[in-house]
Amino acid sequence: MNNKIINFIKKKNKSKIISLTAYSKNIASIIDKHCDLILVGDSLGSVLYSFSSTKKVTLDMMIEHSISVRMGVKKSLMVVDMPYNTYRNPKEALSNAKKIISKTKCDAIKLEGGKKVIQIIKTLIKNKIPVMGHLGVLPQSATNFKFKGKETAERKIILRDSKLLEDAGVFSIVLECVESSLAKEITKTVKVPTIGIGASVHCDGQVLVTDDLIGLNKIKARFVKKYSNIEKQINDAALKFKKDVVKSKFPTKKHSY
Ligand code: KIV
């Protein structure tokens, strides 16, 4: 494990871990100052491309966006999602993870699932590829987006999976839409940091999709808090530009050659 990852793990029980998504350089360079981890999430499929699910996101899309993000990330740990159908077996996963890391120079990859993907995770880690796990709602295979951990049987599976992921050597686990007391139990049980999205304050850190945070993505989910209204600011700027152009107030001499 490299020092960046070791220092990230050490934050557990010391300070809350801050994580946001980025799909491009400009956003990445703004949020980098405030983040411990920047995720190039395959949520870009729905957020940027209006896909109905993340299943349509390709390896090439992830790589192209990650190359852009890399230019903006100076201090945070940069993690890239392995998209759907790119890690169906250890051989495929290793070849694709190597491709992501060599082309994007990211620090680690993230993939979804528990017991089903344990051999894959072990293979990647054995080959020195740092892996972040992802449990709870798994958008790449989900049939619905209801929170997880209401039923005892489901709770047991998620708790078991968190231990399996830890034993396999992941450096952190995203918990997506996991019931609060279960997220608390997992966070207490595993030694690596848990990063929640819709998984309560009990996680070691929190992640949000930046486009949701800034009010650029029209999503209505309980776990999203809109910290800014960038949609309004872009709208106002475009409107002012339009008025100036119509009235020939722009460009002035100052903006001309
Ligand atoms: O794809 C993504 O943005 C994610 C986060 C929601 C954790 O996986």
Side-chain angles (χ1 to χ4, degrees), residues 21 23 39-44 54 81 110 112 134 139 174 176 197 207-209:
T21 62
Y23 313 132
L39 172 70
V40 187
D42 63 352
S43 51
L44 62 82
T54 54
D81 257 339
K110 172 166 86 60
E112 297 180 7
H134 185 147
V174 167
E176 179 163 351
I197 174 160
V207 59
L208 277 181
V209 169

Side-chain angles (χ1 to χ4, degrees), residues 99-218:
K99 195 169 171 190
I100 293 175
I101 296 208
S102 71
K103 294 210 178 234
T104 73
K105 311 283 178 257
C106 67
D107 299 297
I109 58 92
K110 172 166 86 60
L111 52 85
E112 297 180 7
K115 197 174 175 192
K116 269 192 199 163
V117 292
I118 286 301
Q119 280 318 316
I120 289 163
I121 291 177
K122 283 184 178 166
T123 302
L124 296 180
I125 292 171
K126 205 173 120 197
N127 283 277
K128 299 194 172 12
I129 295 176
V131 179
M132 184 176 205
H134 185 147
L135 296 174
V137 167
L138 307 176
Q140 290 177 9
S141 53
T143 48
N144 66 64
F145 285 81
K146 282 191 198 136
F147 78 90
K148 302 284 178 197
K150 200 174 170 194
E151 312 299 338
T152 311
E154 190 173 67
R155 293 174 76 90
K156 279 187 181 161
I157 292 173
I158 299 173
L159 183 60
R160 176 207 66 190
D161 282 352
S162 69
K163 290 179 197 156
L164 286 175
L165 288 183
E166 181 185 27
D167 291 345
V170 300
F171 72 91
S172 180
I173 304 171
V174 167
L175 297 178
E176 179 163 351
C177 298
V178 170
E179 190 275 333
S180 301
S181 66
L182 177 60
K184 188 177 183 179
E185 193 178 351
I186 294 170
T187 303
K188 266 190 174 176
T189 306
V190 299
K191 289 188 185 66
V192 293
T194 58
I195 310 296
I197 174 160
S200 87
V201 72
H202 302 298
C203 294
D204 296 305
Q206 299 293 328
V207 59
L208 277 181
V209 169
T210 300
D211 293 60
D212 299 344
L213 170 105
I214 63 177
L216 197 53
N217 189 33
K218 288 191 180 76

